[in-house]
Amino acid sequence: MLKEVGASGQISLGKKYAGRLFDVIVHPGDRFELIPVRIVATAPPQAPQIVQAPDGWVPPGGYAGCTKWALDNRDALEHYARQIEEHGTASEQLQRFLAEHPEMMNDDDA
């Protein structure tokens, strides 16, 4: 079907689609795709509750407190922090790799 965009930027799809919700995907070249979606009611996210570890532990990274999830995952968080200290963040690792391989920055192959 051929539709014209009105002065206010709206497109009328007809009464069949009235009240329906669509995910609008914008493609290159000003092409749009409308995907019908359904909204699933969810409870609003709750703010995580700050808890106190018996030994005063807080997650690595400068946090002022911790959550139950952080306490439950303490070993994994500490292991990850040791890896970051040893190898750097993913961004730092990428910067080192690109510095060691300047040919990877060549746009001629694109």
Side-chain angles (χ1 to χ4, degrees):
M1 88 179 78
L2 187 60
K3 294 291 178 173
E4 182 178 355
V5 178
S8 64
Q10 295 181 336
I11 299 174
S12 175
L13 299 177
K15 289 183 181 185
K16 176 180 178 180
Y17 300 103
R20 302 245 339 242
L21 185 63
F22 292 86
D23 183 19
V24 179
I25 301 170
V26 181
H27 295 280
D30 291 334
R31 188 172 67 88
F32 295 88
E33 183 176 6
L34 302 173
I35 309 294
V37 295
R38 291 186 184 164
I39 295 294
V40 177
T42 61
Q46 295 181 348
Q49 298 296 315
I50 302 300
V51 296
Q52 184 69 38
D55 60 356
W57 179 84
V58 292
Y63 293 93
C66 69
T67 63
K68 181 180 180 323
W69 180 91
L71 282 177
D72 292 346
N73 293 280
R74 180 176 180 167
D75 291 340
L77 290 169
E78 289 178 341
H79 176 76
Y80 180 69
R82 284 190 301 274
Q83 286 182 313
I84 296 298
E85 286 178 18
E86 186 176 328
H87 303 290
T89 65
S91 175
E92 292 166 342
Q93 292 176 41
L94 178 59
Q95 288 175 353
R96 280 194 307 271
F97 175 83
L98 292 174
E100 294 168 2
H101 302 279
E103 71 278 5
M104 299 298 288
M105 297 297 291
N106 188 348
D107 286 343
D108 292 343
D109 296 334

